[in-house]
Amino acid sequence: MTKFHGVVPPVVTPLNPDFTVDYPSYTRVLEHLLGAGCHGVFVLGSTSEVVFHNEKTRQEILEHSVKVVNGRVPVIAGVLDATTDSVIGHAKVAKAAGAAAVVVTAPYYTVTSQPEIIDHFRYIKDAVDVPLVAYDIPVCVHAKLARSTVTTLAKEGTIIGLKDSSGDDGNFRYALLDLAEHKDIFLMTGSEIVVDNALSMGAHGVVPGLANVDPHGYVRLWDAAQRGDWAAARKEQERLCRLFEIVWVAQSRVSGGASGVGGFKTAMRSLGIIDTNVMPRPRQALDAAESARIDAILRSTGLLG
Amino acid sequence: MTKFHGVVPPVVTPLNPDFTVDYPSYTRVLEHLLGAGCHGVFVLGSTSEVVFHNEKTRQEILEHSVKVVNGRVPVIAGVLDATTDSVIGHAKVAKAAGAAAVVVTAPYYTVTSQPEIIDHFRYIKDAVDVPLVAYDIPVCVHAKLARSTVTTLAKEGTIIGLKDSSGDDGNFRYALLDLAEHKDIFLMTGSEIVVDNALSMGAHGVVPGLANVDPHGYVRLWDAAQRGDWAAARKEQERLCRLFEIVWVAQSRVSGGASGVGGFKTAMRSLGIIDTNVMPRPRQALDAAESARIDAILRSTGLLG
Amino acid sequence: MTKFHGVVPPVVTPLNPDFTVDYPSYTRVLEHLLGAGCHGVFVLGSTSEVVFHNEKTRQEILEHSVKVVNGRVPVIAGVLDATTDSVIGHAKVAKAAGAAAVVVTAPYYTVTSQPEIIDHFRYIKDAVDVPLVAYDIPVCVHAKLARSTVTTLAKEGTIIGLKDSSGDDGNFRYALLDLAEHKDIFLMTGSEIVVDNALSMGAHGVVPGLANVDPHGYVRLWDAAQRGDWAAARKEQERLCRLFEIVWVAQSRVSGGASGVGGFKTAMRSLGIIDTNVMPRPRQALDAAESARIDAILRSTGLLG
Amino acid sequence: MTKFHGVVPPVVTPLNPDFTVDYPSYTRVLEHLLGAGCHGVFVLGSTSEVVFHNEKTRQEILEHSVKVVNGRVPVIAGVLDATTDSVIGHAKVAKAAGAAAVVVTAPYYTVTSQPEIIDHFRYIKDAVDVPLVAYDIPVCVHAKLARSTVTTLAKEGTIIGLKDSSGDDGNFRYALLDLAEHKDIFLMTGSEIVVDNALSMGAHGVVPGLANVDPHGYVRLWDAAQRGDWAAARKEQERLCRLFEIVWVAQSRVSGGASGVGGFKTAMRSLGIIDTNVMPRPRQALDAAESARIDAILRSTGLLG
């Protein structure tokens, strides 16, 4: 397998006012990302609001994505669910729909031990012949993938990679060091704001939700890192940090999840990429005042004229 | 609507070695509970390991339960899922299958604010004409239903009751006080070990997982409380507390969830109620040594000769 | 040793505007508590805001308390500090000042394991010949005294009792059951709002901060429980729960600690027991609007005419 | 004031078997650090186990440090305590003893809001004319200094710097960006394992406990960063990450605090810098087997022949 690498945005799922997927907008999002030079796309993840969509819609979104991307870059698909057999079900569908790899969290809702988490990944690997990427996102799953869990699964071949959205950069570094000799394993950060650090430590890829809004910025950051121009990488990252302030614009009124992805959608609407900033229930969309504040940030970071 | 009340066990879901539902054992569980005088059953909850079962199996379990119970007591059904529209889907199925009420948690996986939780319940109520019971279980959902969330939803008629598995008895008491004038609202505790306290505070029902193992004990406790014999209630509760030690027998080896429900299943197997102690993946079943320790507890509490 | 028992309020420390202790008010507080029939007093605890006072002031407060109480009831003294030897220092002073027992938490600031917590208590017991009471207050210490920690220390004679402010009533019940044969051990709840439950489970004493405001209420509750009149106990408890709402009056403006103890002080000022509602820095005192809301609660619960 | 910068180790406090401070060893630690080129020392912090020492010992440690350092580098002193006025007391002593600045956490034991934390720092600044450094260490204090708390205090001149031991590198980056125009403010990371990242983001200094064991390594890392040789910085950091594994050697037996600082002390004993690895009560020292494992790490990272 060719190792995954580069900027692999988690793709926002635009909605119509009736909460169905707005596929014309969705297509524009994908073309926007690929046009900017992104190296892959991650569909059906947390930024995609996957848990709001049922199996049928998940399949349609993935099939649509595979069709639009049409082999230009790999399409990685989230198969998030609370338990082992549910994930296996999603993984089979995702494989059939053309996913290059599937992204799997630890079980959630139930409280799970690290040995059970290891078993969870092994059972899925045994059941579906598709590459697995572990997804460490404690803010949603409420369990952290331990360093030894990741390295055990990687070294034995159960997983081919990690998406680390834990915010624990020290632990991520140890995963990179522990697996440095395993050239087939790739480790990606889910951060938007310390991507230069992750790349400097040796991360193979980045999965920033904010790349939906500014994919060119993250591609420039990636390119600067590849050529070892850390000053340029840092400068680009700092601009993106100022842009990332859009995720807090609505935080006094709605939950962090609604404020974050809602901020992305609202900015993408202002940039003409998608038609609405509709959020799945029970999340509320950002309002006009919040949208105006987001536009101000887009202007100050050079995205809006 | 007649107010729900009494001992309403969350029904364990026995499995075959191939992880399918063992319906003959399931039928025996239900008859065991009804034979002991339980006042209702709660199927497809956390103790039922509902999140391990797909929509089709959930429906079968509920239809089987309704058929076996055959109107002798109300069947309340969990419709647990991560997001509003998923819950609505389950709730429609549950209503069609004959559930007297459906039990709904706050959204999970996503991080959700209290106003969003309130909207979540309202959207479900609007979409499905079936009584809603709020389920407060922060250990799984990682959000607590605030006192004002519960009272708002109850007073406006969105929910008809609460199952409180939060362990916060002080907050539960305030819910009881706040809603004392609302005679149609029922408030149940999910505790196994302070049920006498909950009843003394005015709780209308109890939903103890341990009642799968010893329903007679909880019915005796309920009856003692109804006649105001708090000394007898306490004595029965204290015996049940010693029995409850079965949930910690395997805790050094497996997760708390596997140790707890696994302890119930292992005890029920020893008592001849169900055929296996199989757990859904990735949970491991209790082993022979653990089963022997559980038998010792069953003997010391009078359940095994 | 005679076992401690009954209503043992944690005594509020009234302050002058210059943040020194207002001893005339302090004397009135003690007389107010003893006049109502309280069975002991707990000075220098969390409600006393002990960590805001230095060693010299702690000693003065304790000596003043012992002098005023003058043997009418036992005076128990908190010796709270972050580490073993600091606690030993306070304990020696407290013993010399006449404390009947000293109250000790797990270490704080540092992260400590249960075996280290056990050693902590043993070192203190070895160093100072004064009865030790374990104080379980995870909201401040950020560690819970495990059931086995409490029972180990009690059975070996290191501690003579427990003050449980953890809010985990199920765990408290197990401590009561585990130590039921140890007639010299006493177990007290720090709750204000489920005291009837604690007494029904067999608690030997109650340490409610709210008793500073309404000691007669808690003594009536205790007396009702002693004669087995649980209906009267519950009724009194429910009135006290409505009174306890004073602790949340300022919660939108200040921290929970300032709102809680500040609510007690403000109520006591309205009742003429103390002269000011001054709070130690950096806590802010409640303002006039908050005081008016507290007065409304005092009136509705029968404490203010 | 000259801005603080560079490698500023938090100095380990070596103990005699009777738990008194081993000053000859302490002197050797300081000379070891200064000989390696460290740019300052931070005494009486968490790594110094400050909360285990009383006021008199704190003063002696600081006075000894100032005397030994003798103006070669700045001596920064922790004045950690639970409440505002306790900190003020320590700060006055520290100023008199010659501290160039004092390091202050948020209040602990009590639960404190961000506005109260801001007031806490302001009260201290008003009371003692000594530069204040904010210390963000949520693992001990159980409160995080919010981004706005740090920037408010820095911009108004209440604090001159920050030591960030929170592990939240994204938030640290925002503090760096927010205060980039404030040339007199310095921001230091408490990390041992992502120091290269912190420096790349613009951090002015690093406060790694591990520098007690290998100060030359951190000075080389600092120097590489200063000349923009990020490849060399990363290589040095990765070696230090392998060395940092000493902090987990004893973690299965003792608490994290004892395992971490105990690992430092045990390594320093093996390197001949200090005489014992004695830990303050109730912490247990590492045993012979653990010491042997630490020696193996010291050898594999080039520190022991």
Side-chain angles (χ1 to χ4, degrees), chain A residues 242-261:
Chain A
R242 291 195 298 272
L243 176 59
F244 192 63
E245 305 260 13
I246 62 173
V247 303
W248 295 304
V249 160
Q251 73 177 354
S252 66
R253 193 177 60 85
V254 301
S255 68
S259 181
V261 178

PDB file of all heavy atoms in Angstrom, chain A residues 242-261:
ATOM      1  N   ARG A 242      -5.318  32.603  13.410  1.00  0.00           N
ATOM      2  CA  ARG A 242      -6.243  33.751  13.501  1.00  0.00           C
ATOM      3  C   ARG A 242      -7.559  33.423  12.802  1.00  0.00           C
ATOM      4  O   ARG A 242      -8.636  33.776  13.273  1.00  0.00           O
ATOM      5  CB  ARG A 242      -5.587  35.003  12.910  1.00  0.00           C
ATOM      6  CG  ARG A 242      -4.425  35.516  13.762  1.00  0.00           C
ATOM      7  CD  ARG A 242      -4.004  36.937  13.399  1.00  0.00           C
ATOM      8  NE  ARG A 242      -3.526  37.033  12.027  1.00  0.00           N
ATOM      9  CZ  ARG A 242      -2.256  36.823  11.640  1.00  0.00           C
ATOM     10  NH1 ARG A 242      -1.334  36.505  12.525  1.00  0.00           N
ATOM     11  NH2 ARG A 242      -1.923  36.935  10.369  1.00  0.00           N
ATOM     12  N   LEU A 243      -7.467  32.714  11.697  1.00  0.00           N
ATOM     13  CA  LEU A 243      -8.687  32.283  10.998  1.00  0.00           C
ATOM     14  C   LEU A 243      -9.513  31.323  11.865  1.00  0.00           C
ATOM     15  O   LEU A 243     -10.749  31.366  11.864  1.00  0.00           O
ATOM     16  CB  LEU A 243      -8.315  31.605   9.676  1.00  0.00           C
ATOM     17  CG  LEU A 243      -9.466  30.998   8.857  1.00  0.00           C
ATOM     18  CD1 LEU A 243     -10.496  32.054   8.483  1.00  0.00           C
ATOM     19  CD2 LEU A 243      -8.925  30.310   7.601  1.00  0.00           C
ATOM     20  N   PHE A 244      -8.820  30.473  12.610  1.00  0.00           N
ATOM     21  CA  PHE A 244      -9.506  29.458  13.420  1.00  0.00           C
ATOM     22  C   PHE A 244     -10.395  30.073  14.507  1.00  0.00           C
ATOM     23  O   PHE A 244     -11.262  29.397  15.065  1.00  0.00           O
ATOM     24  CB  PHE A 244      -8.461  28.523  14.042  1.00  0.00           C
ATOM     25  CG  PHE A 244      -9.029  27.279  14.668  1.00  0.00           C
ATOM     26  CD1 PHE A 244      -9.694  26.330  13.916  1.00  0.00           C
ATOM     27  CD2 PHE A 244      -8.888  27.050  16.039  1.00  0.00           C
ATOM     28  CE1 PHE A 244     -10.205  25.175  14.502  1.00  0.00           C
ATOM     29  CE2 PHE A 244      -9.392  25.895  16.631  1.00  0.00           C
ATOM     30  CZ  PHE A 244     -10.043  24.960  15.860  1.00  0.00           C
ATOM     31  N   GLU A 245     -10.200  31.337  14.778  1.00  0.00           N
ATOM     32  CA  GLU A 245     -11.059  32.012  15.767  1.00  0.00           C
ATOM     33  C   GLU A 245     -12.534  31.941  15.369  1.00  0.00           C
ATOM     34  O   GLU A 245     -13.408  32.134  16.215  1.00  0.00           O
ATOM     35  CB  GLU A 245     -10.639  33.487  15.928  1.00  0.00           C
ATOM     36  CG  GLU A 245      -9.177  33.688  16.285  1.00  0.00           C
ATOM     37  CD  GLU A 245      -8.924  33.945  17.760  1.00  0.00           C
ATOM     38  OE1 GLU A 245      -9.860  33.718  18.568  1.00  0.00           O
ATOM     39  OE2 GLU A 245      -7.800  34.343  18.106  1.00  0.00           O
ATOM     40  N   ILE A 246     -12.827  31.642  14.120  1.00  0.00           N
ATOM     41  CA  ILE A 246     -14.247  31.513  13.714  1.00  0.00           C
ATOM     42  C   ILE A 246     -14.978  30.435  14.522  1.00  0.00           C
ATOM     43  O   ILE A 246     -16.185  30.489  14.672  1.00  0.00           O
ATOM     44  CB  ILE A 246     -14.410  31.218  12.206  1.00  0.00           C
ATOM     45  CG1 ILE A 246     -13.765  29.905  11.788  1.00  0.00           C
ATOM     46  CG2 ILE A 246     -13.886  32.373  11.362  1.00  0.00           C
ATOM     47  CD1 ILE A 246     -14.045  29.498  10.327  1.00  0.00           C
ATOM     48  N   VAL A 247     -14.250  29.466  15.050  1.00  0.00           N
ATOM     49  CA  VAL A 247     -14.947  28.373  15.755  1.00  0.00           C
ATOM     50  C   VAL A 247     -15.494  28.797  17.118  1.00  0.00           C
ATOM     51  O   VAL A 247     -16.300  28.080  17.716  1.00  0.00           O
ATOM     52  CB  VAL A 247     -14.048  27.125  15.950  1.00  0.00           C
ATOM     53  CG1 VAL A 247     -13.536  26.623  14.614  1.00  0.00           C
ATOM     54  CG2 VAL A 247     -12.923  27.367  16.940  1.00  0.00           C
ATOM     55  N   TRP A 248     -15.044  29.942  17.610  1.00  0.00           N
ATOM     56  CA  TRP A 248     -15.514  30.388  18.927  1.00  0.00           C
ATOM     57  C   TRP A 248     -16.535  31.518  18.849  1.00  0.00           C
ATOM     58  O   TRP A 248     -17.011  32.004  19.867  1.00  0.00           O
ATOM     59  CB  TRP A 248     -14.305  30.805  19.793  1.00  0.00           C
ATOM     60  CG  TRP A 248     -13.401  29.660  20.093  1.00  0.00           C
ATOM     61  CD1 TRP A 248     -13.744  28.487  20.696  1.00  0.00           C
ATOM     62  CD2 TRP A 248     -11.997  29.548  19.784  1.00  0.00           C
ATOM     63  NE1 TRP A 248     -12.641  27.647  20.783  1.00  0.00           N
ATOM     64  CE2 TRP A 248     -11.561  28.276  20.238  1.00  0.00           C
ATOM     65  CE3 TRP A 248     -11.060  30.383  19.173  1.00  0.00           C
ATOM     66  CZ2 TRP A 248     -10.242  27.834  20.093  1.00  0.00           C
ATOM     67  CZ3 TRP A 248      -9.758  29.953  19.037  1.00  0.00           C
ATOM     68  CH2 TRP A 248      -9.344  28.693  19.495  1.00  0.00           C
ATOM     69  N   VAL A 249     -16.870  31.923  17.664  1.00  0.00           N
ATOM     70  CA  VAL A 249     -17.750  33.074  17.509  1.00  0.00           C
ATOM     71  C   VAL A 249     -19.112  32.840  18.175  1.00  0.00           C
ATOM     72  O   VAL A 249     -19.672  33.735  18.806  1.00  0.00           O
ATOM     73  CB  VAL A 249     -17.919  33.417  16.002  1.00  0.00           C
ATOM     74  CG1 VAL A 249     -19.157  34.250  15.744  1.00  0.00           C
ATOM     75  CG2 VAL A 249     -16.665  34.138  15.499  1.00  0.00           C
ATOM     76  N   ALA A 250     -19.616  31.633  18.075  1.00  0.00           N
ATOM     77  CA  ALA A 250     -20.962  31.358  18.603  1.00  0.00           C
ATOM     78  C   ALA A 250     -20.942  30.611  19.928  1.00  0.00           C
ATOM     79  O   ALA A 250     -21.973  30.151  20.404  1.00  0.00           O
ATOM     80  CB  ALA A 250     -21.763  30.554  17.577  1.00  0.00           C
ATOM     81  N   GLN A 251     -19.783  30.522  20.527  1.00  0.00           N
ATOM     82  CA  GLN A 251     -19.673  29.606  21.674  1.00  0.00           C
ATOM     83  C   GLN A 251     -20.435  30.054  22.918  1.00  0.00           C
ATOM     84  O   GLN A 251     -20.702  29.249  23.807  1.00  0.00           O
ATOM     85  CB  GLN A 251     -18.213  29.348  22.024  1.00  0.00           C
ATOM     86  CG  GLN A 251     -17.529  30.513  22.688  1.00  0.00           C
ATOM     87  CD  GLN A 251     -16.106  30.162  23.080  1.00  0.00           C
ATOM     88  OE1 GLN A 251     -15.667  29.024  22.953  1.00  0.00           O
ATOM     89  NE2 GLN A 251     -15.376  31.135  23.568  1.00  0.00           N
ATOM     90  N   SER A 252     -20.809  31.327  22.978  1.00  0.00           N
ATOM     91  CA  SER A 252     -21.580  31.741  24.149  1.00  0.00           C
ATOM     92  C   SER A 252     -23.051  31.349  24.007  1.00  0.00           C
ATOM     93  O   SER A 252     -23.805  31.388  24.962  1.00  0.00           O
ATOM     94  CB  SER A 252     -21.472  33.259  24.331  1.00  0.00           C
ATOM     95  OG  SER A 252     -22.093  33.909  23.249  1.00  0.00           O
ATOM     96  N   ARG A 253     -23.449  30.936  22.810  1.00  0.00           N
ATOM     97  CA  ARG A 253     -24.874  30.685  22.562  1.00  0.00           C
ATOM     98  C   ARG A 253     -25.159  29.208  22.321  1.00  0.00           C
ATOM     99  O   ARG A 253     -26.221  28.713  22.689  1.00  0.00           O
ATOM    100  CB  ARG A 253     -25.321  31.514  21.343  1.00  0.00           C
ATOM    101  CG  ARG A 253     -26.820  31.591  21.152  1.00  0.00           C
ATOM    102  CD  ARG A 253     -27.209  32.484  19.980  1.00  0.00           C
ATOM    103  NE  ARG A 253     -26.657  32.019  18.716  1.00  0.00           N
ATOM    104  CZ  ARG A 253     -27.221  31.090  17.934  1.00  0.00           C
ATOM    105  NH1 ARG A 253     -28.372  30.546  18.292  1.00  0.00           N
ATOM    106  NH2 ARG A 253     -26.650  30.713  16.818  1.00  0.00           N
ATOM    107  N   VAL A 254     -24.258  28.518  21.657  1.00  0.00           N
ATOM    108  CA  VAL A 254     -24.508  27.100  21.343  1.00  0.00           C
ATOM    109  C   VAL A 254     -23.349  26.255  21.872  1.00  0.00           C
ATOM    110  O   VAL A 254     -22.372  26.772  22.396  1.00  0.00           O
ATOM    111  CB  VAL A 254     -24.678  26.895  19.810  1.00  0.00           C
ATOM    112  CG1 VAL A 254     -25.843  27.723  19.288  1.00  0.00           C
ATOM    113  CG2 VAL A 254     -23.396  27.212  19.065  1.00  0.00           C
ATOM    114  N   SER A 255     -23.455  24.946  21.718  1.00  0.00           N
ATOM    115  CA  SER A 255     -22.387  24.059  22.193  1.00  0.00           C
ATOM    116  C   SER A 255     -21.140  24.221  21.330  1.00  0.00           C
ATOM    117  O   SER A 255     -21.184  24.771  20.221  1.00  0.00           O
ATOM    118  CB  SER A 255     -22.858  22.613  22.116  1.00  0.00           C
ATOM    119  OG  SER A 255     -23.001  22.217  20.767  1.00  0.00           O
ATOM    120  N   GLY A 256     -20.019  23.721  21.861  1.00  0.00           N
ATOM    121  CA  GLY A 256     -18.765  23.801  21.130  1.00  0.00           C
ATOM    122  C   GLY A 256     -18.822  23.117  19.774  1.00  0.00           C
ATOM    123  O   GLY A 256     -18.263  23.614  18.790  1.00  0.00           O
ATOM    124  N   GLY A 257     -19.514  22.004  19.712  1.00  0.00           N
ATOM    125  CA  GLY A 257     -19.632  21.297  18.433  1.00  0.00           C
ATOM    126  C   GLY A 257     -20.372  22.122  17.392  1.00  0.00           C
ATOM    127  O   GLY A 257     -19.936  22.268  16.245  1.00  0.00           O
ATOM    128  N   ALA A 258     -21.474  22.698  17.808  1.00  0.00           N
ATOM    129  CA  ALA A 258     -22.255  23.518  16.884  1.00  0.00           C
ATOM    130  C   ALA A 258     -21.488  24.779  16.504  1.00  0.00           C
ATOM    131  O   ALA A 258     -21.531  25.236  15.356  1.00  0.00           O
ATOM    132  CB  ALA A 258     -23.593  23.885  17.522  1.00  0.00           C
ATOM    133  N   SER A 259     -20.764  25.329  17.459  1.00  0.00           N
ATOM    134  CA  SER A 259     -20.017  26.557  17.185  1.00  0.00           C
ATOM    135  C   SER A 259     -18.864  26.295  16.223  1.00  0.00           C
ATOM    136  O   SER A 259     -18.582  27.108  15.345  1.00  0.00           O
ATOM    137  CB  SER A 259     -19.490  27.131  18.505  1.00  0.00           C
ATOM    138  OG  SER A 259     -18.780  28.324  18.290  1.00  0.00           O
ATOM    139  N   GLY A 260     -18.211  25.152  16.367  1.00  0.00           N
ATOM    140  CA  GLY A 260     -17.053  24.835  15.541  1.00  0.00           C
ATOM    141  C   GLY A 260     -17.418  24.492  14.113  1.00  0.00           C
ATOM    142  O   GLY A 260     -17.048  25.214  13.171  1.00  0.00           O
ATOM    143  N   VAL A 261     -18.150  23.411  13.921  1.00  0.00           N
ATOM    144  CA  VAL A 261     -18.532  23.032  12.558  1.00  0.00           C
ATOM    145  C   VAL A 261     -19.469  24.093  11.970  1.00  0.00           C
ATOM    146  O   VAL A 261     -19.409  24.409  10.779  1.00  0.00           O
ATOM    147  CB  VAL A 261     -19.187  21.631  12.527  1.00  0.00           C
ATOM    148  CG1 VAL A 261     -19.609  21.273  11.108  1.00  0.00           C
ATOM    149  CG2 VAL A 261     -18.225  20.577  13.077  1.00  0.00           C
TER     150      VAL A 261
END
